[in-house]
Amino acid sequence: NWPVISLATAFGVAAMAGAGVADTPRVIAVDDAVVRKALLGRFDYVGSWQHVSGKHDGRSNGTSTRSTHIGDVAIFRFTGTRVRIYGVRGRSGGRAGIALDETSTAGRPVDFYAPQLEPHALIYESPRLPAGLHTVSIAVWGTRDARGRYYYVNIDGAEFEP
């Protein structure tokens, strides 16, 4: 057991050093602005997304990433059993389509419109999933609620259960 503990300690891996299951995080939060080389646990943005910072109104880390361009897509990949996507809802919010593992929720758009600002609002929660690799895609539709002023799809972050 000593070589495993030494190797685990050298690489900072407490779980390999005999730590219990209770030490595994139950939820991992990921900010919209996370940029790293890892393929999992980050957002990838396809299209003309705009990063917004300095908004300390309840957004995670004061940031969000938004688009109004039809067909722009935000992609979040994770390994786990459930995911939650958070966004910013408000009077300028538009609508988006969601796909989980390439299965669309078409006909049930995610609406980013709200009469009052709702930073870090839960916009999507998956059902319990089989453990493994999953992908959530959020596509800008370019439509809005009749009361809305604009078409923003505004991502604030995600949480997933590993």
Coordinates of all heavy atoms in Angstrom, one line a residue, residues 5-104:
I5 N 0.2 5.0 -1.8 CA 0.1 6.2 -1.1 C 1.1 7.2 -1.5 O 0.8 8.4 -1.7 CB 0.2 5.9 0.5 CG1 -1.1 5.1 0.9 CG2 0.3 7.2 1.3 CD1 -1.0 4.6 2.3
S6 N 2.4 6.8 -1.6 CA 3.4 7.8 -2.0 C 3.2 8.4 -3.4 O 3.3 9.5 -3.6 CB 4.8 7.1 -2.0 OG 5.1 6.6 -0.7
L7 N 2.8 7.5 -4.3 CA 2.5 8.0 -5.7 C 1.3 9.0 -5.7 O 1.3 10.0 -6.3 CB 2.2 6.8 -6.6 CG 2.1 7.1 -8.1 CD1 3.4 7.7 -8.6 CD2 1.8 5.8 -8.8
A8 N 0.3 8.6 -4.9 CA -0.9 9.4 -4.8 C -0.6 10.8 -4.2 O -1.0 11.8 -4.6 CB -2.0 8.8 -4.0
T9 N 0.2 10.7 -3.1 CA 0.6 12.0 -2.5 C 1.5 12.8 -3.4 O 1.3 14.1 -3.4 CB 1.4 11.6 -1.2 OG1 0.6 10.8 -0.3 CG2 1.8 12.9 -0.4
A10 N 2.3 12.2 -4.1 CA 3.2 13.0 -5.0 C 2.4 13.7 -6.1 O 2.8 14.8 -6.5 CB 4.2 12.0 -5.7
F11 N 1.3 13.1 -6.5 CA 0.5 13.8 -7.5 C -0.8 14.5 -7.0 O -1.6 14.9 -7.7 CB 0.0 12.7 -8.6 CG 1.1 12.3 -9.5 CD1 1.8 11.1 -9.2 CD2 1.6 13.1 -10.5 CE1 2.8 10.7 -10.0 CE2 2.6 12.7 -11.3 CZ 3.3 11.5 -11.1
G12 N -0.9 14.5 -5.6 CA -2.0 15.2 -5.0 C -3.3 14.5 -5.2 O -4.3 15.2 -5.3
V13 N -3.3 13.2 -5.3 CA -4.5 12.5 -5.5 C -4.9 11.8 -4.2 O -4.5 10.7 -3.9 CB -4.4 11.4 -6.6 CG1 -5.7 10.7 -6.9 CG2 -3.9 12.1 -7.9
A14 N -5.8 12.5 -3.4 CA -6.2 11.9 -2.1 C -7.0 10.7 -2.2 O -6.9 9.8 -1.4 CB -6.9 13.0 -1.3
A15 N -7.8 10.5 -3.2 CA -8.7 9.4 -3.4 C -7.8 8.1 -3.5 O -8.2 7.1 -3.0 CB -9.6 9.5 -4.6
M16 N -6.7 8.2 -4.2 CA -5.9 7.0 -4.4 C -5.1 6.7 -3.1 O -4.7 5.6 -2.8 CB -4.8 7.2 -5.5 CG -5.4 7.2 -6.9 SD -4.1 7.5 -8.1 CE -3.1 6.1 -7.9
A17 N -5.0 7.6 -2.2 CA -4.3 7.4 -0.9 C -5.2 6.8 0.1 O -4.9 6.8 1.3 CB -3.7 8.8 -0.4
G18 N -6.4 6.3 -0.3 CA -7.2 5.7 0.7 C -8.3 6.5 1.2 O -9.0 6.2 2.2
A19 N -8.5 7.7 0.7 CA -9.6 8.6 1.1 C -11.0 7.9 0.7 O -11.0 7.2 -0.3 CB -9.5 9.9 0.5
G20 N -12.0 8.1 1.5 CA -13.3 7.5 1.3 C -14.1 8.1 0.2 O -13.7 9.2 -0.3
V21 N -15.2 7.5 -0.1 CA -16.1 8.1 -1.1 C -16.6 9.4 -0.7 O -16.9 10.3 -1.5 CB -17.2 7.1 -1.4 CG1 -18.3 7.7 -2.3 CG2 -16.7 5.8 -2.0
A22 N -16.7 9.6 0.6 CA -17.3 10.9 1.1 C -16.4 12.1 0.7 O -16.9 13.2 0.7 CB -17.4 10.9 2.6
D23 N -15.1 11.8 0.3 CA -14.2 12.9 -0.1 C -14.5 13.4 -1.5 O -14.0 14.4 -2.0 CB -12.8 12.5 0.1 CG -12.4 12.3 1.5 OD1 -13.1 12.9 2.4 OD2 -11.5 11.6 1.8
T24 N -15.2 12.6 -2.3 CA -15.5 12.9 -3.7 C -16.6 14.0 -3.7 O -17.6 13.9 -3.1 CB -16.1 11.7 -4.5 OG1 -15.1 10.6 -4.4 CG2 -16.3 12.0 -5.9
P25 N -16.3 15.1 -4.5 CA -17.3 16.2 -4.5 C -18.6 15.7 -5.1 O -18.7 14.9 -6.0 CB -16.7 17.2 -5.4 CG -15.5 16.6 -6.1 CD -15.2 15.4 -5.3
R26 N -19.7 16.2 -4.5 CA -21.1 15.8 -5.0 C -21.5 16.6 -6.2 O -22.2 16.2 -7.0 CB -22.1 15.9 -3.9 CG -21.8 14.9 -2.8 CD -23.0 14.9 -1.8 NE -22.7 13.9 -0.8 CZ -22.8 14.0 0.5 NH1 -23.3 15.1 0.9 NH2 -22.5 13.1 1.3
V27 N -21.0 17.9 -6.3 CA -21.4 18.7 -7.4 C -20.1 19.5 -7.7 O -19.4 20.0 -6.8 CB -22.5 19.7 -7.0 CG1 -22.7 20.7 -8.1 CG2 -23.8 19.0 -6.7
I28 N -19.8 19.6 -9.0 CA -18.7 20.5 -9.5 C -19.3 21.6 -10.3 O -20.0 21.4 -11.2 CB -17.8 19.6 -10.3 CG1 -17.1 18.5 -9.5 CG2 -16.7 20.5 -10.9 CD1 -16.3 17.5 -10.3
A29 N -18.9 22.8 -9.8 CA -19.4 24.1 -10.5 C -18.4 24.5 -11.5 O -17.2 24.5 -11.3 CB -19.7 25.2 -9.5
V30 N -18.8 25.0 -12.7 CA -18.0 25.4 -13.8 C -18.5 26.8 -14.2 O -19.7 26.9 -14.6 CB -17.9 24.4 -14.9 CG1 -17.0 25.0 -16.1 CG2 -17.5 23.1 -14.5
D31 N -17.7 27.8 -14.2 CA -18.0 29.1 -14.6 C -18.1 29.2 -16.2 O -17.4 28.4 -16.9 CB -17.0 30.2 -14.1 CG -17.5 31.6 -14.4 OD1 -18.5 32.0 -13.8 OD2 -16.8 32.3 -15.2
D32 N -18.9 30.1 -16.7 CA -19.1 30.2 -18.2 C -17.7 30.6 -18.8 O -17.5 30.3 -20.0 CB -20.1 31.3 -18.5 CG -19.6 32.7 -18.0 OD1 -19.8 33.0 -16.8 OD2 -19.1 33.5 -18.8
A33 N -16.8 31.2 -18.1 CA -15.6 31.7 -18.7 C -14.4 30.8 -18.5 O -13.3 31.1 -18.9 CB -15.2 33.1 -18.0
V34 N -14.7 29.6 -18.0 CA -13.6 28.6 -17.8 C -13.0 28.3 -19.2 O -13.7 27.8 -20.1 CB -14.0 27.3 -17.1 CG1 -13.0 26.2 -17.2 CG2 -14.4 27.7 -15.7
V35 N -11.7 28.5 -19.3 CA -11.0 28.2 -20.5 C -9.8 27.4 -20.1 O -8.9 27.9 -19.4 CB -10.5 29.5 -21.3 CG1 -9.7 29.1 -22.5 CG2 -11.7 30.3 -21.7
R36 N -9.7 26.2 -20.5 CA -8.6 25.3 -20.2 C -8.4 24.3 -21.3 O -9.3 24.1 -22.1 CB -8.7 24.7 -18.8 CG -9.9 23.9 -18.6 CD -9.9 23.3 -17.3 NE -11.3 23.6 -16.7 CZ -11.8 22.8 -15.7 NH1 -11.1 21.9 -15.2 NH2 -12.9 23.1 -15.2
K37 N -7.4 23.6 -21.3 CA -7.1 22.6 -22.4 C -7.9 21.3 -22.2 O -8.0 20.6 -23.2 CB -5.6 22.4 -22.5 CG -4.8 23.6 -23.0 CD -3.4 23.3 -23.1 CE -2.7 24.6 -23.5 NZ -1.2 24.4 -23.7
A38 N -8.4 21.1 -21.0 CA -9.1 19.8 -20.8 C -10.3 19.8 -21.7 O -10.9 20.8 -22.0 CB -9.6 19.7 -19.3
L39 N -10.7 18.6 -22.1 CA -11.9 18.4 -23.0 C -13.2 18.4 -22.2 O -14.2 18.7 -22.8 CB -11.7 17.1 -23.8 CG -10.6 17.0 -24.8 CD1 -10.6 15.7 -25.4 CD2 -10.8 18.1 -25.9
L40 N -13.1 18.1 -20.9 CA -14.3 18.0 -20.1 C -14.4 19.1 -19.1 O -13.3 19.7 -18.7 CB -14.4 16.7 -19.4 CG -14.4 15.5 -20.4 CD1 -14.3 14.2 -19.6 CD2 -15.6 15.5 -21.3
G41 N -15.6 19.4 -18.6 CA -15.7 20.4 -17.5 C -15.5 21.8 -18.0 O -14.9 22.6 -17.2
R42 N -15.8 22.2 -19.2 CA -15.6 23.5 -19.7 C -16.6 23.8 -20.7 O -17.2 22.9 -21.3 CB -14.2 23.8 -20.2 CG -14.0 23.0 -21.6 CD -12.8 23.5 -22.3 NE -12.8 23.0 -23.6 CZ -11.9 23.1 -24.5 NH1 -10.7 23.7 -24.1 NH2 -12.0 22.6 -25.7
F43 N -16.8 25.1 -21.1 CA -17.7 25.4 -22.2 C -16.9 25.7 -23.4 O -15.8 26.2 -23.3 CB -18.5 26.7 -21.8 CG -19.7 26.5 -20.9 CD1 -19.5 26.7 -19.5 CD2 -20.9 26.2 -21.4 CE1 -20.6 26.5 -18.7 CE2 -22.0 26.1 -20.6 CZ -21.8 26.2 -19.2
D44 N -17.5 25.3 -24.5 CA -16.9 25.6 -25.8 C -18.0 26.4 -26.5 O -19.2 26.0 -26.5 CB -16.6 24.4 -26.7 CG -15.3 23.7 -26.2 OD1 -14.3 24.4 -26.0 OD2 -15.4 22.5 -26.0
Y45 N -17.6 27.5 -27.2 CA -18.6 28.4 -27.8 C -18.3 28.4 -29.3 O -17.2 28.7 -29.7 CB -18.5 29.8 -27.3 CG -18.8 29.9 -25.8 CD1 -17.8 29.9 -24.8 CD2 -20.1 29.9 -25.3 CE1 -18.1 30.0 -23.5 CE2 -20.4 30.0 -24.0 CZ -19.4 30.0 -23.1 OH -19.7 30.0 -21.7
V46 N -19.4 28.2 -30.1 CA -19.2 28.2 -31.6 C -20.1 29.3 -32.1 O -21.3 29.4 -31.8 CB -19.8 26.8 -32.2 CG1 -19.7 26.9 -33.7 CG2 -19.0 25.6 -31.6
G47 N -19.4 30.3 -32.8 CA -20.1 31.4 -33.3 C -19.6 32.7 -32.7 O -18.4 32.8 -32.3
S48 N -20.5 33.7 -32.6 CA -20.1 35.0 -32.2 C -20.6 35.4 -30.7 O -21.4 36.3 -30.5 CB -20.7 36.1 -33.1 OG -20.3 35.8 -34.4
W49 N -20.1 34.6 -29.8 CA -20.4 34.9 -28.4 C -19.6 36.0 -27.8 O -18.5 36.2 -28.2 CB -20.2 33.6 -27.6 CG -21.1 32.5 -27.9 CD1 -20.9 31.6 -29.0 CD2 -22.3 32.1 -27.3 NE1 -22.0 30.7 -29.0 CE2 -22.8 31.0 -28.0 CE3 -23.0 32.6 -26.2 CZ2 -24.0 30.4 -27.6 CZ3 -24.2 32.0 -25.8 CH2 -24.7 30.9 -26.5
Q50 N -20.2 36.7 -26.9 CA -19.6 37.9 -26.3 C -19.5 37.6 -24.8 O -20.4 37.3 -24.1 CB -20.5 39.1 -26.4 CG -20.0 40.4 -25.7 CD -21.0 41.5 -25.8 OE1 -22.2 41.3 -25.9 NE2 -20.5 42.7 -25.7
H51 N -18.2 37.7 -24.3 CA -18.0 37.6 -22.8 C -18.2 38.9 -22.1 O -17.7 39.9 -22.5 CB -16.5 37.1 -22.6 CG -16.2 36.8 -21.2 ND1 -16.8 35.7 -20.5 CD2 -15.4 37.4 -20.3 CE1 -16.4 35.7 -19.3 NE2 -15.5 36.7 -19.1
V52 N -19.0 38.8 -21.1 CA -19.4 39.9 -20.3 C -18.7 39.8 -18.9 O -18.8 38.7 -18.3 CB -20.9 40.1 -20.1 CG1 -21.3 41.2 -19.2 CG2 -21.6 40.2 -21.4
S53 N -18.0 40.8 -18.4 CA -17.4 40.7 -17.1 C -17.7 42.0 -16.3 O -18.3 43.0 -16.8 CB -15.9 40.5 -17.2 OG -15.3 41.6 -17.9
G54 N -17.4 41.9 -15.0 CA -17.7 43.0 -14.1 C -19.1 43.2 -13.7 O -19.5 44.3 -13.3
K55 N -19.9 42.2 -13.9 CA -21.4 42.3 -13.5 C -21.6 41.6 -12.2 O -21.9 40.4 -12.1 CB -22.2 41.6 -14.6 CG -22.2 42.3 -15.9 CD -23.0 43.6 -15.9 CE -23.1 44.2 -17.2 NZ -24.0 45.3 -17.3
H56 N -21.4 42.3 -11.1 CA -21.5 41.7 -9.8 C -23.0 41.8 -9.2 O -23.2 42.4 -8.2 CB -20.5 42.3 -8.8 CG -19.1 42.1 -9.3 ND1 -18.5 40.9 -9.3 CD2 -18.3 42.9 -10.0 CE1 -17.3 40.9 -9.8 NE2 -17.1 42.2 -10.3
D57 N -23.9 41.2 -10.0 CA -25.3 41.3 -9.7 C -25.9 39.9 -9.3 O -27.1 39.7 -9.3 CB -26.1 41.9 -10.9 CG -25.8 41.1 -12.2 OD1 -25.1 40.1 -12.2 OD2 -26.3 41.6 -13.3
G58 N -25.0 39.0 -9.0 CA -25.4 37.6 -8.7 C -24.9 36.6 -9.7 O -25.0 35.4 -9.5
R59 N -24.2 37.0 -10.8 CA -23.7 36.1 -11.7 C -22.4 35.4 -11.1 O -21.7 36.1 -10.3 CB -23.2 36.8 -13.0 CG -24.3 37.4 -13.8 CD -23.9 38.3 -14.9 NE -24.9 39.3 -15.1 CZ -25.2 39.8 -16.3 NH1 -24.5 39.4 -17.4 NH2 -26.1 40.7 -16.4
S60 N -22.2 34.2 -11.5 CA -21.0 33.5 -11.0 C -19.8 34.2 -11.4 O -19.6 34.5 -12.6 CB -21.1 32.1 -11.6 OG -19.9 31.4 -11.3
N61 N -18.9 34.6 -10.5 CA -17.7 35.3 -10.7 C -17.9 36.7 -11.5 O -17.0 37.2 -12.1 CB -16.7 34.5 -11.5 CG -16.2 33.3 -10.6 OD1 -16.0 33.5 -9.4 ND2 -16.1 32.1 -11.2
G62 N -19.1 37.2 -11.5 CA -19.4 38.5 -12.2 C -19.3 38.4 -13.7 O -19.2 39.4 -14.3
T63 N -19.4 37.2 -14.3 CA -19.3 37.0 -15.7 C -20.5 36.3 -16.3 O -21.2 35.6 -15.6 CB -18.0 36.3 -16.1 OG1 -18.1 34.9 -15.7 CG2 -16.8 36.9 -15.5
S64 N -20.7 36.4 -17.6 CA -21.6 35.6 -18.3 C -21.1 35.7 -19.8 O -20.3 36.5 -20.2 CB -23.1 36.0 -18.2 OG -23.3 37.3 -18.7
T65 N -21.6 34.8 -20.6 CA -21.3 34.7 -22.0 C -22.6 34.7 -22.8 O -23.4 33.8 -22.6 CB -20.4 33.5 -22.3 OG1 -19.2 33.6 -21.5 CG2 -19.9 33.5 -23.8
R66 N -22.8 35.6 -23.8 CA -24.1 35.8 -24.4 C -23.9 35.9 -25.9 O -22.9 36.3 -26.5 CB -24.8 37.0 -23.9 CG -24.1 38.3 -24.2 CD -24.7 39.4 -23.5 NE -24.2 40.7 -24.0 CZ -24.5 41.9 -23.5 NH1 -25.5 42.0 -22.6 NH2 -24.0 43.0 -24.0
S67 N -25.1 35.6 -26.6 CA -25.1 35.7 -28.0 C -26.6 36.0 -28.4 O -27.5 35.5 -27.8 CB -24.6 34.4 -28.7 OG -24.8 34.6 -30.1
T68 N -26.7 36.7 -29.6 CA -28.0 36.9 -30.2 C -28.1 36.3 -31.6 O -29.0 36.4 -32.3 CB -28.4 38.4 -30.3 OG1 -27.4 39.0 -31.1 CG2 -28.5 39.0 -29.0
H69 N -27.0 35.6 -32.0 CA -26.8 35.2 -33.4 C -27.4 33.8 -33.6 O -27.0 32.8 -33.0 CB -25.3 35.2 -33.8 CG -24.7 36.5 -33.7 ND1 -24.8 37.5 -34.6 CD2 -24.0 37.1 -32.7 CE1 -24.2 38.6 -34.3 NE2 -23.6 38.3 -33.1
I70 N -28.4 33.7 -34.5 CA -29.1 32.4 -34.8 C -28.1 31.4 -35.1 O -27.2 31.6 -36.0 CB -30.1 32.6 -35.9 CG1 -31.2 33.6 -35.5 CG2 -30.7 31.3 -36.3 CD1 -32.1 34.0 -36.6
G71 N -28.2 30.2 -34.5 CA -27.3 29.1 -34.8 C -26.0 29.1 -33.9 O -25.3 28.0 -33.9
D72 N -25.7 30.1 -33.2 CA -24.6 30.0 -32.3 C -24.9 28.9 -31.2 O -26.0 28.8 -30.8 CB -24.3 31.3 -31.6 CG -23.6 32.3 -32.4 OD1 -23.3 32.0 -33.6 OD2 -23.2 33.4 -31.9
V73 N -23.8 28.2 -30.8 CA -24.0 27.1 -29.9 C -23.0 27.1 -28.8 O -21.8 27.4 -29.0 CB -23.9 25.7 -30.6 CG1 -24.1 24.5 -29.7 CG2 -24.9 25.6 -31.8
A74 N -23.4 26.9 -27.6 CA -22.6 26.7 -26.4 C -22.6 25.2 -26.1 O -23.7 24.6 -26.0 CB -23.1 27.5 -25.2
I75 N -21.5 24.6 -25.9 CA -21.4 23.2 -25.7 C -20.7 22.9 -24.4 O -19.6 23.5 -24.1 CB -20.6 22.5 -26.8 CG1 -21.2 22.8 -28.2 CG2 -20.4 21.0 -26.6 CD1 -20.4 22.5 -29.4
F76 N -21.3 22.1 -23.5 CA -20.7 21.7 -22.3 C -20.6 20.2 -22.2 O -21.6 19.5 -22.3 CB -21.5 22.2 -21.1 CG -20.9 22.0 -19.7 CD1 -19.9 22.7 -19.3 CD2 -21.4 21.0 -18.9 CE1 -19.3 22.5 -18.1 CE2 -20.9 20.7 -17.7 CZ -19.8 21.5 -17.3
R77 N -19.4 19.6 -22.0 CA -19.2 18.2 -21.9 C -18.7 17.9 -20.5 O -17.9 18.6 -19.9 CB -18.1 17.8 -22.9 CG -18.5 17.9 -24.3 CD -17.3 17.5 -25.2 NE -17.6 17.8 -26.6 CZ -17.3 19.0 -27.1 NH1 -16.8 20.0 -26.4 NH2 -17.6 19.3 -28.4
F78 N -19.2 16.8 -20.0 CA -18.9 16.4 -18.6 C -19.0 14.9 -18.4 O -19.6 14.2 -19.3 CB -19.9 17.1 -17.6 CG -21.3 16.6 -17.7 CD1 -21.8 15.7 -16.8 CD2 -22.1 17.1 -18.7 CE1 -23.1 15.2 -16.9 CE2 -23.4 16.6 -18.7 CZ -23.9 15.7 -17.8
T79 N -18.4 14.3 -17.4 CA -18.6 12.9 -17.0 C -19.3 12.9 -15.7 O -18.8 13.4 -14.7 CB -17.2 12.3 -16.9 OG1 -16.5 12.4 -18.2 CG2 -17.3 10.8 -16.5
G80 N -20.5 12.3 -15.7 CA -21.2 12.3 -14.5 C -22.6 11.7 -14.7 O -22.9 11.0 -15.7
T81 N -23.5 12.1 -13.8 CA -24.9 11.6 -13.8 C -26.0 12.6 -13.9 O -27.2 12.3 -14.0 CB -25.1 10.7 -12.5 OG1 -24.9 11.6 -11.4 CG2 -24.2 9.5 -12.5
R82 N -25.6 13.9 -13.8 CA -26.6 15.0 -13.9 C -25.9 16.3 -14.2 O -24.8 16.5 -13.7 CB -27.5 15.1 -12.6 CG -28.5 16.2 -12.7 CD -29.5 16.1 -11.6 NE -30.4 15.1 -11.9 CZ -31.3 14.6 -11.0 NH1 -31.4 15.1 -9.8 NH2 -32.2 13.7 -11.3
V83 N -26.6 17.2 -14.9 CA -26.1 18.5 -15.1 C -27.2 19.6 -15.0 O -28.3 19.3 -15.2 CB -25.5 18.6 -16.6 CG1 -26.6 18.4 -17.6 CG2 -24.7 19.8 -16.8
R84 N -26.7 20.7 -14.5 CA -27.6 21.9 -14.4 C -26.9 23.0 -15.2 O -25.7 23.3 -15.0 CB -27.8 22.3 -13.0 CG -28.6 21.3 -12.2 CD -28.6 21.7 -10.7 NE -29.0 20.5 -9.9 CZ -28.2 19.5 -9.5 NH1 -26.9 19.6 -9.8 NH2 -28.6 18.5 -8.9
I85 N -27.6 23.7 -16.0 CA -27.1 24.9 -16.7 C -27.7 26.1 -16.2 O -29.0 26.2 -16.0 CB -27.3 24.8 -18.3 CG1 -26.8 23.5 -18.8 CG2 -26.8 26.0 -19.0 CD1 -25.3 23.4 -18.8
Y86 N -26.9 27.2 -15.9 CA -27.4 28.4 -15.3 C -27.2 29.5 -16.4 O -26.2 29.5 -17.1 CB -26.6 28.8 -14.1 CG -26.9 27.8 -12.9 CD1 -26.2 26.6 -12.8 CD2 -28.0 28.0 -12.1 CE1 -26.4 25.7 -11.8 CE2 -28.3 27.1 -11.1 CZ -27.5 26.0 -10.9 OH -27.8 25.1 -9.9
G87 N -28.1 30.5 -16.4 CA -28.0 31.6 -17.3 C -28.5 32.9 -16.6 O -28.8 32.9 -15.4
V88 N -28.5 33.9 -17.4 CA -29.0 35.2 -16.9 C -30.3 35.5 -17.7 O -30.4 35.5 -18.9 CB -28.0 36.3 -17.2 CG1 -28.6 37.7 -16.7 CG2 -26.7 36.0 -16.5
R89 N -31.4 35.6 -16.9 CA -32.7 35.9 -17.5 C -33.0 37.4 -17.3 O -32.6 38.0 -16.3 CB -33.8 35.1 -16.9 CG -33.8 33.7 -17.3 CD -35.1 33.0 -16.9 NE -35.2 31.7 -17.5 CZ -35.4 30.6 -16.8 NH1 -35.5 30.6 -15.5 NH2 -35.5 29.4 -17.5
G90 N -33.7 38.0 -18.3 CA -34.1 39.4 -18.1 C -34.9 39.9 -19.3 O -35.3 39.1 -20.1
R91 N -35.2 41.2 -19.3 CA -36.1 41.7 -20.4 C -35.5 41.6 -21.8 O -36.2 41.8 -22.7 CB -36.5 43.2 -20.0 CG -37.3 43.2 -18.7 CD -37.8 44.5 -18.3 NE -37.1 45.7 -18.9 CZ -37.0 46.8 -18.4 NH1 -37.6 47.1 -17.3 NH2 -36.4 47.8 -19.0
S92 N -34.2 41.4 -21.9 CA -33.5 41.3 -23.2 C -33.3 39.9 -23.6 O -32.7 39.6 -24.6 CB -32.2 42.1 -23.2 OG -32.4 43.4 -23.0
G93 N -33.9 38.9 -22.8 CA -33.6 37.5 -23.1 C -34.4 37.0 -24.3 O -35.5 37.4 -24.6
G94 N -33.7 36.1 -25.0 CA -34.3 35.4 -26.1 C -34.6 33.9 -25.8 O -34.6 33.5 -24.6
R95 N -34.7 33.1 -26.8 CA -34.9 31.6 -26.6 C -33.8 30.8 -27.2 O -33.2 31.2 -28.2 CB -36.3 31.3 -27.2 CG -37.4 31.9 -26.5 CD -38.8 31.4 -27.0 NE -39.8 31.9 -26.2 CZ -40.9 32.5 -26.7 NH1 -41.1 32.5 -28.0 NH2 -41.9 32.9 -25.9
A96 N -33.7 29.6 -26.6 CA -32.6 28.7 -27.1 C -33.2 27.3 -27.1 O -34.1 27.0 -26.4 CB -31.4 28.8 -26.2
G97 N -32.6 26.5 -27.9 CA -32.9 25.0 -27.9 C -31.8 24.3 -27.1 O -30.7 24.7 -27.1
I98 N -32.2 23.2 -26.5 CA -31.3 22.5 -25.7 C -31.2 21.0 -26.3 O -32.3 20.5 -26.6 CB -31.7 22.4 -24.2 CG1 -31.7 23.7 -23.5 CG2 -30.9 21.4 -23.4 CD1 -30.4 24.1 -23.0
A99 N -30.0 20.5 -26.3 CA -29.9 19.1 -26.7 C -29.0 18.4 -25.7 O -28.0 19.0 -25.3 CB -29.3 18.9 -28.1
L100 N -29.4 17.3 -25.2 CA -28.6 16.5 -24.3 C -28.2 15.2 -25.0 O -29.1 14.4 -25.5 CB -29.4 16.1 -23.0 CG -28.8 15.2 -22.1 CD1 -27.5 15.8 -21.5 CD2 -29.8 14.8 -21.0
D101 N -26.9 15.0 -25.2 CA -26.4 13.8 -25.9 C -27.1 13.6 -27.2 O -27.6 12.6 -27.6 CB -26.6 12.5 -25.0 CG -25.8 12.5 -23.8 OD1 -24.8 13.3 -23.7 OD2 -26.2 11.9 -22.8
E102 N -27.2 14.8 -27.9 CA -27.7 14.8 -29.3 C -29.2 14.6 -29.4 O -29.7 14.4 -30.5 CB -26.9 13.9 -30.2 CG -25.5 14.3 -30.3 CD -24.7 13.4 -31.3 OE1 -25.3 12.7 -32.1 OE2 -23.5 13.5 -31.2
T103 N -29.9 14.6 -28.3 CA -31.4 14.5 -28.3 C -31.9 15.8 -27.9 O -31.7 16.3 -26.8 CB -31.9 13.4 -27.2 OG1 -31.3 12.2 -27.6 CG2 -33.4 13.3 -27.3
S104 N -32.6 16.4 -28.9 CA -33.1 17.8 -28.8 C -34.4 17.8 -27.9 O -35.2 16.9 -27.8 CB -33.5 18.3 -30.1 OG -34.1 19.6 -30.0

